[in-house]
mmCIF file of all heavy atoms in Angstrom:
data_model
loop_
_atom_site.group_PDB
_atom_site.id
_atom_site.type_symbol
_atom_site.label_atom_id
_atom_site.label_comp_id
_atom_site.label_asym_id
_atom_site.label_seq_id
_atom_site.Cartn_x
_atom_site.Cartn_y
_atom_site.Cartn_z
ATOM 1 N N GLU G 71 -49.424 48.537 35.641
ATOM 2 C CA GLU G 71 -50.334 49.046 34.629
ATOM 3 C C GLU G 71 -50.467 50.539 34.856
ATOM 4 O O GLU G 71 -50.720 50.964 35.991
ATOM 5 C CB GLU G 71 -51.704 48.367 34.797
ATOM 6 C CG GLU G 71 -52.653 48.683 33.686
ATOM 7 C CD GLU G 71 -53.952 47.926 33.786
ATOM 8 O OE1 GLU G 71 -54.165 47.156 34.734
ATOM 9 O OE2 GLU G 71 -54.741 48.063 32.805
ATOM 10 N N ALA G 72 -50.284 51.318 33.794
ATOM 11 C CA ALA G 72 -50.421 52.771 33.881
ATOM 12 C C ALA G 72 -50.877 53.336 32.573
ATOM 13 O O ALA G 72 -50.397 52.929 31.490
ATOM 14 C CB ALA G 72 -49.059 53.367 34.284
ATOM 15 N N ASP G 73 -51.844 54.217 32.602
ATOM 16 C CA ASP G 73 -52.362 54.909 31.393
ATOM 17 C C ASP G 73 -52.800 53.872 30.355
ATOM 18 O O ASP G 73 -52.541 54.053 29.170
ATOM 19 C CB ASP G 73 -51.303 55.847 30.810
ATOM 20 C CG ASP G 73 -50.909 56.908 31.768
ATOM 21 O OD1 ASP G 73 -51.771 57.390 32.541
ATOM 22 O OD2 ASP G 73 -49.735 57.274 31.820
ATOM 23 N N GLY G 74 -53.396 52.783 30.781
ATOM 24 C CA GLY G 74 -53.913 51.798 29.839
ATOM 25 C C GLY G 74 -52.853 50.900 29.226
ATOM 26 O O GLY G 74 -53.144 50.193 28.306
ATOM 27 N N LYS G 75 -51.636 50.926 29.745
ATOM 28 C CA LYS G 75 -50.561 50.102 29.243
ATOM 29 C C LYS G 75 -50.016 49.207 30.351
ATOM 30 O O LYS G 75 -49.965 49.632 31.486
ATOM 31 C CB LYS G 75 -49.428 50.956 28.683
ATOM 32 C CG LYS G 75 -49.786 51.819 27.520
ATOM 33 C CD LYS G 75 -48.637 52.671 27.090
ATOM 34 C CE LYS G 75 -49.061 53.592 25.946
ATOM 35 N NZ LYS G 75 -47.939 54.445 25.566
ATOM 36 N N VAL G 76 -49.621 48.035 29.967
ATOM 37 C CA VAL G 76 -49.001 47.118 30.923
ATOM 38 C C VAL G 76 -47.482 47.194 30.634
ATOM 39 O O VAL G 76 -47.073 47.035 29.533
ATOM 40 C CB VAL G 76 -49.526 45.670 30.710
ATOM 41 C CG1 VAL G 76 -48.775 44.718 31.659
ATOM 42 C CG2 VAL G 76 -51.013 45.633 30.971
ATOM 43 N N ILE G 77 -46.729 47.372 31.705
ATOM 44 C CA ILE G 77 -45.299 47.560 31.576
ATOM 45 C C ILE G 77 -44.597 46.388 32.291
ATOM 46 O O ILE G 77 -44.831 46.082 33.405
ATOM 47 C CB ILE G 77 -44.829 48.869 32.207
ATOM 48 C CG1 ILE G 77 -45.472 50.046 31.522
ATOM 49 C CG2 ILE G 77 -43.297 48.980 32.186
ATOM 50 C CD1 ILE G 77 -45.472 51.356 32.266
ATOM 51 N N ILE G 78 -43.799 45.658 31.461
ATOM 52 C CA ILE G 78 -42.952 44.569 31.952
ATOM 53 C C ILE G 78 -41.526 44.854 31.600
ATOM 54 O O ILE G 78 -41.204 45.165 30.430
ATOM 55 C CB ILE G 78 -43.416 43.226 31.284
ATOM 56 C CG1 ILE G 78 -44.882 42.918 31.687
ATOM 57 C CG2 ILE G 78 -42.496 42.086 31.729
ATOM 58 C CD1 ILE G 78 -45.461 41.728 30.938
ATOM 59 N N ARG G 79 -40.664 44.803 32.606
ATOM 60 C CA ARG G 79 -39.256 45.133 32.380
ATOM 61 C C ARG G 79 -38.566 43.968 31.624
ATOM 62 O O ARG G 79 -38.778 42.796 31.922
ATOM 63 C CB ARG G 79 -38.561 45.411 33.645
ATOM 64 C CG ARG G 79 -39.064 46.603 34.407
ATOM 65 C CD ARG G 79 -38.405 46.839 35.709
ATOM 66 N NE ARG G 79 -37.281 45.871 35.915
ATOM 67 C CZ ARG G 79 -36.449 45.962 36.924
ATOM 68 N NH1 ARG G 79 -36.561 46.838 37.835
ATOM 69 N NH2 ARG G 79 -35.508 45.027 37.034
ATOM 70 N N THR G 80 -37.710 44.309 30.714
ATOM 71 C CA THR G 80 -36.953 43.323 29.962
ATOM 72 C C THR G 80 -36.099 42.469 30.946
ATOM 73 O O THR G 80 -36.011 41.263 30.803
ATOM 74 C CB THR G 80 -36.056 44.022 28.960
ATOM 75 O OG1 THR G 80 -36.824 44.768 28.083
ATOM 76 C CG2 THR G 80 -35.264 42.998 28.116
ATOM 77 N N ALA G 81 -35.545 43.110 31.927
ATOM 78 C CA ALA G 81 -34.702 42.433 32.894
ATOM 79 C C ALA G 81 -35.509 41.321 33.657
ATOM 80 O O ALA G 81 -34.971 40.216 33.910
ATOM 81 C CB ALA G 81 -34.124 43.385 33.938
ATOM 82 N N ASP G 82 -36.755 41.589 33.916
ATOM 83 C CA ASP G 82 -37.591 40.583 34.605
ATOM 84 C C ASP G 82 -37.909 39.415 33.710
ATOM 85 O O ASP G 82 -37.886 38.263 34.126
ATOM 86 C CB ASP G 82 -38.927 41.224 35.091
ATOM 87 C CG ASP G 82 -38.694 42.165 36.254
ATOM 88 O OD1 ASP G 82 -37.763 41.930 37.053
ATOM 89 O OD2 ASP G 82 -39.475 43.108 36.379
#
Side-chain angles (χ1 to χ4, degrees):
E71 188 175 5
D73 299 323
K75 296 179 184 178
V76 176
I77 300 165
I78 297 174
R79 295 179 6 173
T80 303
D82 289 330

